[in-house]
Amino acid sequence: MADEVKLTHTSALILQTIGAGYRYGFDVMEATGLPSGTVYPALRRLEQLGLIHSTWEKESKALAEQRPARKYYKLTAAGTQTLSKAVERYPLLQHMKGASS
Amino acid sequence: MRRPEWLIRAASLLVPSERRAEWIKEWLAELHYAQEHAGEARSYAFARGAFHDAVWQQRDFWTPKRARRVAQSPGMCLATLAALPVVIALASGFLSLTRLAVKPLPYRDAGRIVLISQAGSMAERSGVPSANVTLWRDYAQTLDGIATYQWRPDAGSATVSENFFSVLAPERRAGRGFWFLSPKITRWQIGRPDKKARYGVVARLRPEVSPSEASAELSAILRKNGVQDWDSLVELTPLASRVHMVFWVFASGLGLAILIILPTLRMRMPTWNPTAAGFFLAKTGLLLVSVLLCGIEFTGASSITMLGGANGLVAVSAWLFVMGSTGALTWSIADQRQRCRVCLKRLGMAAHVGCPGCLLLDWAGTELVCVEGHGMLHVPEMAACWQDPDKWTFLDESWQELFERG
């Protein structure tokens, strides 16, 4: 199913950003320059399509660093496949740099 | 609570309740990083995006089945009924008549203004003879002033005596428009009283004179001047109580409706628990408020009662209140019977059981089931003394798998 998915440029950009190692919503916003009202609904849609998968960070780890726990996103196998097709369709996506951390 | 957080919590109200807790958790965590990395100013823009996400959450959520379940819920019932007074308020120009009936009258020392009648406040009134008014004006010691009026409801105009406005002494404070009898009267003409005509009479009592003292004096003046005993009976009603009479008429209508419903109440009402009782009272209260507002706003009952029953319209508005209250109570009880005793959702999946012709030997009726699987209601085909009325059967956990959720 996932290989039939055709993503918009924005969705593909967000998928590429997650593939590049940006793992949570605000991180994706900063990397893409997209507003929160675009990024979060796109994350929901990508997750619904099975292209990304979300997990909650352990509370104990976040507590130790005195910050709220984050919800992390990462590509699924289907997401990786769809991303490679999206990169063929939108070649500029290749220029996305990876996350430093 | 800071404003961006408040925005997110406001947006969360749009998120389906099953997803809301996790949604808020993620957005508040993200807001923390937005404030840390981008500063307070950008965090507002960040938080505004929560509304887009919240709306998106609803897109795949509302299936026809889920919508049906929500429509059956007690919350939806209360929300719909709560919308009724809002609709009435919008349709009536924000309850203009109700506000007049509730607010103090726009006259100086309004407590001293009385309406004078000779046939009782609830009877149809043809007015007071002009000659009597002249006698009172000449001899009454308990009155500060007395004025006459004639109202033509269809024309929206009234003819009043010269001293009418000085007797009423309207206040000229900003935002408090003058009205008397009905706010629909827009034209006021000064007319010379006809000696043979009958008039509505309004008077201002002297300070510290009670309506009963004034009434006794006015009757005595009439008797002294040769008016027959029956015709000398005078009634003084404070203007404020005439305006508020609409509420008494409603209360009487409601009382009568309860008396009508009461004999069958025991048979009709399902078993009570505090939640069900609260729901029933809230539902009935909202309906009765709607009946009252409709009565005041759309029948002109407040101005009608002020006239003391002109054209017998008090009886009409009282009848409307009785019918409205009876209808509201009947519907409320019928609706309560058709709800689950546990979750208060409307029962569904009606199935007809048995043979109506075999009532003596067998049971026949309709069975309704709670969509959440809490229980089943058996409603007999016909009320008979040898049969129980509605019977509720609780379904235990073992039935749950039959009731698909989603």
Side-chain angles (χ1 to χ4, degrees), chain A residues 2-92:
Chain A
D3 55 354
E4 292 167 15
V5 174
K6 282 193 177 168
L7 298 176
T8 62
H9 184 265
T10 307
S11 300
L13 177 63
I14 290 169
L15 200 62
Q16 167 74 338
T17 311
I18 292 168
Y22 296 91
R23 295 197 297 157
Y24 59 98
F26 184 71
D27 223 6
V28 175
M29 272 178 63
E30 290 288 87
T32 57
L34 292 168
S36 58
T38 303
V39 170
Y40 290 92
L43 289 173
R44 318 276 179 235
R45 183 165 170 258
L46 292 173
E47 188 170 18
Q48 204 176 54
L49 290 169
L51 305 181
I52 59 173
H53 173 70
S54 67
T55 46
W56 278 98
E57 180 184 24
K58 278 190 178 166
E59 290 281 351
S60 55
K61 191 185 169 199
L63 208 63
E65 294 176 24
Q66 292 191 318
R67 59 177 176 77
R70 287 167 175 159
K71 193 177 189 183
Y72 287 125
Y73 294 91
K74 68 174 187 180
L75 288 190
T76 60
T80 312
Q81 269 183 23
T82 307
L83 179 60
S84 58
K85 287 188 179 172
V87 170
E88 283 172 24
R89 198 169 163 207
Y90 306 113
L92 283 176

Side-chain angles (χ1 to χ4, degrees), chain B residues 180-335:
Chain B
F180 180 73
L181 300 176
S182 162
K184 286 177 185 164
I185 300 178
T186 50
R187 274 179 297 143
W188 297 90
Q189 294 166 321
I190 310 286
R192 188 175 285 276
D194 179 350
K195 284 183 182 171
K196 288 178 185 168
R198 287 172 169 264
Y199 291 94
V201 182
V202 60
R204 178 175 284 275
L205 299 178
R206 284 189 189 279
E208 292 173 25
V209 171
S210 70
S212 57
E213 284 168 346
S215 167
E217 191 207 16
L218 300 185
S219 294
I221 291 170
L222 293 182
R223 280 197 298 274
K224 208 171 164 184
N225 286 276
V227 176
Q228 295 290 325
D229 278 354
W230 182 256
D231 288 340
S232 68
L233 290 174
V234 177
E235 188 177 357
L236 270 69
T237 316
L239 192 54
S241 63
R242 272 285 162 83
V243 176
H244 297 147
M245 193 186 280
V246 66
F247 299 108
W248 291 109
V249 173
F250 175 73
S252 311
L254 177 60
L256 195 56
I258 291 172
L259 283 177
I260 293 168
I261 298 282
L262 211 57
T264 54
L265 196 63
R266 211 180 126 261
M267 204 172 122
R268 292 184 191 193
M269 283 306 290
T271 47
W272 287 107
N273 64 52
T275 318
F279 173 65
F280 176 77
L281 291 176
K283 181 172 61 172
T284 313
L286 284 169
L287 270 175
L288 291 174
V289 165
S290 301
V291 169
L292 173 63
L293 293 180
C294 264
I296 295 176
E297 296 297 329
F298 303 125
T299 65
S302 56
S303 53
I304 289 162
T305 53
M306 204 167 160
L307 282 169
N311 303 324
L313 281 171
V314 162
V316 174
S317 64
W319 178 245
L320 281 173
F321 283 143
V322 173
M323 293 304 288
S325 303
T326 309
L329 287 169
T330 308
W331 179 85
S332 204
I333 292 167
D335 178 70

Side-chain angles (χ1 to χ4, degrees), chain B residues 13-16 19 53-62:
Chain B
L13 298 175
L14 299 171
V15 179
R19 300 176 184 174
D53 192 31
V55 169
W56 197 91
Q57 290 285 331
Q58 300 213 349
R59 267 177 42 180
D60 60 331
F61 186 77
W62 289 107

Side-chain angles (χ1 to χ4, degrees), chain B residues 143 170 295 373:
Chain B
L143 304 182

Side-chain angles (χ1 to χ4, degrees), chain B residues 31-248:
Chain B
L31 178 67
H32 173 83
Y33 298 113
Q35 282 169 332
E36 208 170 70
H37 295 282
E40 194 71 17
R42 260 191 71 197
S43 65
Y44 285 114
F46 174 83
R48 279 201 297 273
F51 283 94
H52 289 267
D53 192 31
V55 169
W56 197 91
Q57 290 285 331
Q58 300 213 349
R59 267 177 42 180
D60 60 331
F61 186 77
W62 289 107
T63 58
K65 193 173 181 181
R66 194 180 292 271
R68 219 170 21 250
R69 283 196 172 186
V70 170
Q72 289 167 333
S73 69
M76 180 55 82
C77 173
L78 289 181
T80 311
L81 293 177
L84 279 177
V86 177
V87 171
I88 295 168
L90 292 175
S92 63
F94 297 99
L95 307 176
S96 54
L97 292 175
T98 310
R99 280 186 284 127
L100 287 181
V102 172
K103 276 161 65 175
L105 293 171
Y107 318 120
R108 186 168 47 79
D109 284 335
R112 285 165 52 201
I113 299 173
V114 290
L115 294 175
I116 302 176
S117 62
Q118 287 191 276
S121 60
M122 292 300 286
E124 191 166 330
R125 194 163 55 109
S126 53
V128 177
S130 178
N132 292 359
V133 179
T134 311
L135 285 172
W136 292 331
R137 186 175 291 139
D138 293 344
Y139 299 111
Q141 300 294 311
T142 51
L143 304 182
D144 247 354
I146 185 164
T148 57
Y149 60 86
Q150 274 183 321
W151 175 37
R152 288 182 61 203
D154 48 335
S157 67
T159 306
V160 297
S161 62
E162 215 168 318
N163 64 338
F164 178 78
F165 292 102
S166 64
V167 168
L168 281 183
E171 283 186 336
R172 295 186 192 281
R173 268 188 253 157
R176 298 189 70 181
F178 172 79
W179 74 285
F180 180 73
L181 300 176
S182 162
K184 286 177 185 164
I185 300 178
T186 50
R187 274 179 297 143
W188 297 90
Q189 294 166 321
I190 310 286
R192 188 175 285 276
D194 179 350
K195 284 183 182 171
K196 288 178 185 168
R198 287 172 169 264
Y199 291 94
V201 182
V202 60
R204 178 175 284 275
L205 299 178
R206 284 189 189 279
E208 292 173 25
V209 171
S210 70
S212 57
E213 284 168 346
S215 167
E217 191 207 16
L218 300 185
S219 294
I221 291 170
L222 293 182
R223 280 197 298 274
K224 208 171 164 184
N225 286 276
V227 176
Q228 295 290 325
D229 278 354
W230 182 256
D231 288 340
S232 68
L233 290 174
V234 177
E235 188 177 357
L236 270 69
T237 316
L239 192 54
S241 63
R242 272 285 162 83
V243 176
H244 297 147
M245 193 186 280
V246 66
F247 299 108
W248 291 109

